[in-house]
Amino acid sequence: MAESLLAVEHLDAWYGTARALEDVSFEVAGGSVALIGRNGMGKTTLCNAIMGMPPARVRGSIRFRGEELVGRQSYRIAQLGIGYVPQGRRLFPSLSVEEHLRMIGRGRSDAGWTPERVYELFPRLGERKRNGGAQLSGGEQQMLAIGRALLTSPQLLIMDEPSEGLAPAIIEMLIETLQQLAREGLTILLVEQNLGVATAVAERQLVMVAGAIAAETTAKELADDPDLQRRFLGVEPLAAEAS
């Protein structure tokens, strides 16, 4: 078995006195892994905990390539090789596409990712490089958020709800992009409530319910099990959507 890139063990997290994560444990060794669940189940809290952002109180262990992350500052965690695409993109409205990418790419001569390579991955960004973050469509903003994360040349890319608010055609492009990045060897932890996106990108599926990992399954098993989809995700089965 491949050595774990990310290992989360017995992780608890609180917002004030409210527990948001309870005894979360899983490992990511390589390839793509999807963490799926409905809104309010703790998925974003888990992302924040891994990246060293609030909630302030975390108990347990998060190791990346064997190094403990709990207690480290966010920028130190990013420097270890974790790229993060947050929910809502969090771009700077007044900065252009070019400024976003040059700001991240400056001084990283060791990295394989450059702004030029991001433009090759997302040609639309090249056409909009002088436009500010607030002038971009939702799909273009997501491209920029992904490109910004890739410029850190991560070994692990964490993406929180990347398909949220996107048109179906843009979601298809997003899926193809993530599949391409995975083929190139990038390990992806995809946090999603869109079952179609999650199962298209990752074979391994972790289901989060009420702040805990309730099940681990595969994309095929989940897609073929309408009861599992309803019980854990509260969605109509994929087969029903396709009919």
Side-chain angles (χ1 to χ4, degrees):
M1 182 176 178
E3 182 180 357
S4 295
L5 190 63
L6 178 73
V8 178
E9 294 183 349
H10 306 298
L11 186 68
D12 301 310
W14 291 264
Y15 288 109
T17 59
R19 179 179 260 178
L21 298 177
E22 182 173 0
D23 197 28
V24 173
S25 297
F26 67 93
E27 295 185 0
V28 177
S32 297
V33 177
L35 179 73
I36 59 175
R38 290 173 287 178
N39 280 335
M41 292 296 106
K43 304 188 305 298
T44 294
T45 300
L46 177 60
C47 292
N48 289 342
I50 294 171
M51 296 307 301
M53 299 188 295
R57 289 206 299 143
V58 174
R59 181 177 64 196
S61 175
I62 306 170
R63 296 191 309 278
F64 179 70
R65 295 189 302 176
E67 295 195 43
E68 184 60 56
L69 303 185
V70 173
R72 289 182 183 245
Q73 294 178 300
S74 296
Y75 77 95
R76 295 291 189 190
I77 292 172
Q79 287 175 343
L80 290 175
I82 303 179
Y84 183 40
V85 180
Q87 185 177 22
R89 294 116 197 186
R90 300 185 194 176
L91 303 176
F92 296 99
S94 62
L95 292 186
S96 69
V97 169
E98 181 79 359
E99 288 168 336
H100 273 93
L101 298 183
R102 294 295 173 187
M103 176 176 63
I104 300 299
R106 185 179 298 121
R108 295 189 62 85
S109 59
D110 61 319
W113 282 95
T114 63
E116 289 71 27
R117 188 176 172 194
V118 171
Y119 291 141
E120 290 177 6
L121 182 66
F122 298 118
R124 181 62 177 160
L125 290 183
E127 299 169 5
R128 305 275 279 166
K129 63 171 61 177
R130 291 181 176 79
N131 290 83
Q135 298 174 312
L136 303 177
S137 68
E140 291 164 347
Q141 290 179 3
Q142 192 60 269
M143 294 175 201
L144 181 54
I146 295 170
R148 180 179 60 182
L150 290 174
L151 282 174
T152 66
S153 288
Q155 290 182 287
L156 172 66
L157 181 64
I158 300 175
M159 308 186 70
D160 189 4
E161 304 284 4
S163 71
E164 185 177 52
L166 300 185
I170 302 300
I171 290 176
E172 286 300 316
M173 180 278 297
L174 173 66
I175 290 171
E176 292 174 4
T177 299
L178 297 184
Q179 291 172 338
Q180 176 184 336
L181 292 172
R183 287 194 298 270
E184 293 175 0
L186 181 62
T187 298
I188 298 172
L189 176 59
L190 176 66
V191 178
E192 264 290 352
Q193 62 174 319
N194 185 320
L195 185 58
V197 174
T199 54
V201 171
E203 178 59 19
R204 185 178 170 212
Q205 304 281 314
L206 305 174
V207 183
M208 178 164 274
V209 177
I213 303 296
E216 178 172 346
T217 184
T218 66
K220 186 179 187 309
E221 290 172 345
L222 187 56
D224 291 344
D225 191 337
D227 179 65
L228 188 64
Q229 295 172 36
R230 291 193 187 97
R231 181 155 46 99
F232 285 138
L233 304 175
V235 299
E236 287 304 310
L238 289 176
E241 294 177 0
S243 61

